[in-house]
Amino acid sequence: MADLITQIYNVVDPFEPLQPGDPAYVDCRDVRGDADVLRDLGREIVRSQRKTCQLFVGHRGGGKSTELLRLKAYLETQGCFVVYFAAIGDSGDMDQEDVQYADILLACTRHLLEDLRQADPKPVLNWLRDRLQSLQAIAQMEIRLDGLPIEGQITQFAKLTTAIRAVPSQRQEIRKQLDPHTVTLLSALNEFIADARRKLPADKDRLVVLVDNLDRIVPSPAMPNERINLDEIYLDRSDQLRGLDCHLVYTVPISMVYSNRAAELTNTYGDPTILPMIMVRTLDGQVYPPGLERMKAVLAQRVWQVAPDIHLETAVFETVEVLNALCLASGGHVRELLLLTQEAINYTDQLPIAARAVQRALSRLRDSYRRTVQTGQWSLLAAVAQTHRIANNDAHRDLLFRRCVLEYRQVQPNGMEQCWYDVHPLIRAIPEFREALEAL
Amino acid sequence: MTEPILEPDFDWEAEPAPPSFEEEYQALRRAVRRAQGFGLLFVQCSPAIGHDLIHRLQSDLSDKPADVISFTTTVPGNNLFRAVRQRLDEHPDLRILFIQGLEYSLFAYEDIQRLSGWTSAEIYSCSWQGVPPLMQNLNWLREDFRDNFPQVCLVFLVPRFLVDYLVHRAPDFFDWRSGLFEFPNPVTTADHPSRQVWLAEHYEQYGTMPAAERRRHLLELQDLLAEPGQPVANQGRLLVELGKIFMADHNYAEAIARYEQAIVLVPDYSEAWYRLGIAHAHLGNYEAEIASYDQALMLNPQDASVWNSRGYALFESGHSAAAIADFDRAIALNPHNDKFWSNRGAALGTLGQFQDAMRAYEAALAINPNNYNVWFDQGVTLFYLGRYEEAIASYERALAINPEDYEALTNRGAALWQLDRLEQAIASCDQAIALNPDYDEAWATRAHVLADSSPEAAIASYEQALAINPENPEVWYGQACCYAQQGLMDLALDRLSHALHLDRDRYAPLAQSEKDFQPLQQHPQFQALLAGRGQPLLES
């Protein structure tokens, strides 16, 4: 059995999103500006008489996947049949550096086919049959439908998505073949979905698709001067993206929501649901005790899995101040909290974790932010720290994307939601930032 | 409602002294030892230190089977995942896998240069075109690494710039780290071999390196520069070295930025001032160029190259007398550089001091008989001195070095013409025209040679010269003479009007005494033209 500090080190690793019902989950709604996926995304799906299509957005590593998995579990108790998949990574179907609409549609198709085994896949397989000849010529892959049982035919679809992902040189060609046929695929898929809906288990009356990890799509123009793929996917193809005959939730890159396309995006999909940071400080910079407590709880719930009831503030950390400093330095970002904890443990031979070890961890992460910020961005950061607002431009989007600027929300006593921005707390101590602040 | 006591009174914003090498090693050792499942650690260090660290960790953690993948070229297929899987298929019991040499997959990409050194604002307009596929591979397969190697701690040993690069180009992958460890080269290793190379040698051969090689040097230099505890003087020298690489890339603005940074750090750094001047010269910033040389000379008046460069800047801007004084200083400091002598000769030539110019060229050629420019310039000077045979010999030496030089061929033609060796003269011009049909002087010289013997052919040749460059009055005048010889007076008057329009002071007196224009002497329009009253006949 490994010693306690080793167990703690391993239990705070950031690799897996929490599964629904995981005891490590901490409810942070009230300190995330009342953000509640079950209510914001879930209720819309449960109550709406018509199919819905919603966008979900948040900082990288902020807890989106964990929340979507919770949403899935919740919806399943509310009479929904849920197909959840991570489009990128985890045997996903796409290459995040180069994603186009057709890829998303194919990925949806594959997962719907695999998850809705009770429905008749004929329409979709027929569509594929019509495409076979031209595709086989390009991809030099063998896709065979005839003579295969239905199960086998369905796996042939996976072959197609794998080929697109695996061979960049063929990707463009395959897409060129498929692009004119995405509309027919969509209607074949909807036929399939209609049948699936008829055959849903007795206690289910809704079909929901949750597409995770799309926020990792890197903006890239297919060719110079063309529209970037994000615009192409979310705006130009919005009719098709929304066209699946079921309830849909797509993740979307945070930079898209803060672009000059934001208004168009809202017109098309309604307001995206945003998962802000956990508010550890208020707008005027005061420590916000409920947020701070929640960050501690995030750590405690994990630590207690290996050491039930251990006192975080004295047994794991040297003092409450040390723990507070760690939580405040994370800016309310969960993965950052876990990273800082692991780094501090690296500088610790034996529990409790000392102030010096935490200081080292902060210093290391601070330095990596210093290296992230480009010359010329310091003054932008200083302005954000002062105004708590961001401009809709590439520079600020870039800072959000790299978590140098974080978003917070709070519901005020009058019920109005207030949204503001701040620089990552570790950035405040960087000399370049201080100079820029003084120069304002 | 907020409780100020929550504010920790410890100064968390204070920067702790950097950890000692040993402290950092212990942290790394703990991280590797404690990782139970999949793990991702990054160690920023030089390859040599990385090598030592791997050894030490392997012996300290002997109960964890470990192996090393060390790349010395691009990762095959840019697919690190596959390389790791292969290794683990061979050794399924591995718990630690050290990975070194990822940087070799990146040198070919210009993108990396942009993100790790350029101050340009273009960073925002990231097109993401040409992002190294290795980075895509890491980001994209992040979960695959986790799921396929659930028992392996991957330890990446990378140079500093690669960490910066991961932050920007593989943020999701880097985000999963359980630690970043930094092992700078100890400051006491100021005599570390690689650094000695940088600081002692002058890497003037950057220009001849392949771009990827230059990029590698650039990144190495930047890593050295970023090392904590680097003495200011070293920083200055590293910046100048970086500037030279940007110069070799013809990126003068970036070079200037580096030289200026060096000067901020080391204000009395004369070489930085000197190189700043050269960079400004490339951008045509004449005043900044001279001002930079002035600073360099104030700090170090013993550097002959700087005197020479300032002299050249003055010469180029028409201040030949001042230029000669500078060249003299350069020569006094170092009489063995043929370039200083040849520059002096050129400046004297522009002042009409041909005899002195000849002496300078002779000195230059005594030092380096293979200096093409000197043979050429000497040819020009000899021509002005009327020593045509010698001029021809000088051009021939130049042509022996550079047989494709159409200017020397043309000038040789002019000298041959002066000696009435007309056929040879025309042949020389024809050679020049064959090499560059757009060189108007060759056509003009050819026409001059033909003017007396076959005016018709000369007129055609002049026409070619005028089609390329209609601003040369000598060509208009020559053609006017040819037309006059043929009795085509209207055309002659028209061409003459162009010549006068371009340079009246020179061509009005010439025309007055020109024998070809004798028949025109009484022509009212001719008189009017010479008196400056005639309407220029722009088209006939």
Side-chain angles (χ1 to χ4, degrees), chain A residues 10 15 60 90 96 165 216 335 342 345-348 363-364 366 371 374 377 403 434, chain B residues 7 13 15 17 23-24 30 34 36 44 124 139-140 143 146-147 164 168 172 175 178 180:
Chain A
N10 282 284
F15 302 129
R60 181 175 346 106
D90 204 6
Q96 62 165 346
R165 173 175 133 163
R216 267 200 247 161
R335 187 178 298 166
Q342 281 197 317
I345 294 176
N346 288 339
Y347 291 102
T348 304
S363 163
R364 192 48 52 83
R366 185 180 297 129
R371 295 160 70 167
Q374 306 284 342
Q377 287 183 326
R403 292 202 305 248
R434 288 184 166 166
Chain B
E7 286 283 5
E13 301 207 331
E15 271 303 312
E23 225 176 322
E24 194 74 352
R30 284 184 209 111
R34 287 172 181 161
Q36 288 177 328
Q44 178 186 307
Y124 295 141
N139 247 346
W140 160 32
E143 281 82 358
R146 174 195 69 195
D147 297 339
D164 290 341
H168 285 100
D172 291 287
D175 220 28
S178 293
L180 166 63

Side-chain angles (χ1 to χ4, degrees), chain B residues 490-534:
Chain B
D490 284 351
L491 284 167
L493 286 168
D494 170 71
R495 300 308 190 255
L496 180 61
S497 76
H498 284 283
L500 292 170
H501 179 68
L502 288 163
D503 189 353
R504 168 166 303 277
D505 292 347
R506 176 166 161 79
Y507 290 99
L510 267 180
Q512 197 67 260
S513 55
E514 179 66 59
K515 70 169 173 25
D516 289 340
F517 295 147
Q518 284 301 321
L520 283 171
Q521 282 299 335
Q522 302 311 316
H523 201 292
Q525 215 173 352
F526 181 73
Q527 289 305 330
L529 274 176
L530 292 188
R533 283 182 279 110

Side-chain angles (χ1 to χ4, degrees), chain B residues 43 47 72 90 105 115 211 219 319 346 375 449 476:
Chain B
V43 181
T72 51
E90 292 159 20
S105 299
L115 271 184
L219 295 165
H319 301 94
W375 288 114
V449 179
W476 291 108

Side-chain angles (χ1 to χ4, degrees), chain B residues 120-138:
Chain B
S120 336
E122 65 169 305
I123 286 161
Y124 295 141
S125 57
C126 284
S127 72
W128 298 86
Q129 301 271 320
V131 172
L134 178 73
M135 292 293 126
Q136 299 184 20
N137 186 256
L138 291 180

Side-chain angles (χ1 to χ4, degrees), chain A residues 2-3 5-6 9-10 14-17 60-61 88-91 94-97 165-166 213 216 218-222 224 281 285-289 292 321-322 324-325 328 335 339 342-343 345-349 355-356 358-360 362-368 370-372 374-377 380 394-395 398 401-403 425 428-429 434, chain B residues 1-20 23-24 26-41 44 114-115 118-119 123-129 131 135-136 138-144 146-147 159-161 163-164 167-169 171-172 174-182:
Chain A
D3 58 352
I5 192 166
T6 299
Y9 179 79
N10 282 284
F15 302 129
E16 302 277 358
R60 181 175 346 106
I88 292 173
D90 204 6
S91 64
M94 293 175 230
D95 173 354
Q96 62 165 346
E97 300 279 341
R165 173 175 133 163
N213 280 7
R216 267 200 247 161
V218 169
S220 80
R281 283 183 193 273
Q286 298 293 316
V287 172
Y288 183 62
L292 181 60
E321 281 79 16
V322 175
N324 287 349
L328 291 172
R335 187 178 298 166
L339 169 64
Q342 281 197 317
E343 291 248 30
I345 294 176
N346 288 339
Y347 291 102
T348 304
D349 211 25
R356 188 180 158 79
V358 169
Q359 200 185 26
R360 283 240 180 288
L362 302 192
S363 163
R364 192 48 52 83
L365 191 59
R366 185 180 297 129
D367 189 51
S368 77
R370 196 172 74 82
R371 295 160 70 167
T372 299
Q374 306 284 342
T375 329
Q377 287 183 326
L380 300 180
D394 284 346
D398 186 46
F401 180 71
R402 291 194 266 125
R403 292 202 305 248
R428 289 191 171 271
R434 288 184 166 166
Chain B
M1 59 174 242
T2 51
E3 298 166 51
I5 46 160
L6 275 169
E7 286 283 5
D9 45 5
F10 191 88
D11 184 5
W12 294 100
E13 301 207 331
E15 271 303 312
S20 69
E23 225 176 322
E24 194 74 352
Q26 292 304 332
L28 171 61
R29 189 184 57 80
R30 284 184 209 111
V32 179
R33 177 165 58 82
R34 287 172 181 161
Q36 288 177 328
F38 172 69
L40 211 50
L41 301 173
Q44 178 186 307
R114 186 176 56 179
L115 271 184
W118 290 32
T119 50
I123 286 161
Y124 295 141
S125 57
C126 284
S127 72
W128 298 86
Q129 301 271 320
V131 172
M135 292 293 126
Q136 299 184 20
L138 291 180
N139 247 346
W140 160 32
L141 293 179
R142 181 179 86 170
E143 281 82 358
D144 289 357
R146 174 195 69 195
D147 297 339
R160 185 182 172 90
F161 73 82
V163 174
D164 290 341
V167 168
H168 285 100
R169 287 293 190 248
D172 291 287
F174 188 66
D175 220 28
W176 266 12
R177 70 194 183 277
S178 293
L180 166 63
F181 304 88
E182 295 179 12

Side-chain angles (χ1 to χ4, degrees), chain B residues 259-309:
Chain B
Y259 296 140
E260 285 177 343
Q261 273 177 286
I263 289 164
V264 168
L265 291 172
V266 191
D268 59 351
Y269 191 1
S270 62
E271 191 193 338
W273 283 108
Y274 169 47
R275 295 194 175 273
L276 178 64
I278 295 175
H280 279 305
H282 281 279
L283 292 179
N285 305 333
Y286 168 70
E287 268 149 41
E289 180 191 0
I290 296 273
S292 305
Y293 297 143
D294 288 347
Q295 285 290 337
L297 291 172
M298 201 177 71
L299 294 164
N300 177 15
Q302 301 304 313
D303 189 335
S305 299
V306 189
W307 288 108
N308 176 60
S309 291

Side-chain angles (χ1 to χ4, degrees), chain A residues 18-19 21-29 66-67 70 301 305:
Chain A
L18 297 179
Q19 292 300 318
D22 190 312
Y25 182 77
V26 176
D27 183 351
C28 296
R29 273 173 297 183
T66 296
E67 292 296 327
R70 273 183 72 229
Q301 300 283 24
Q305 294 187 354

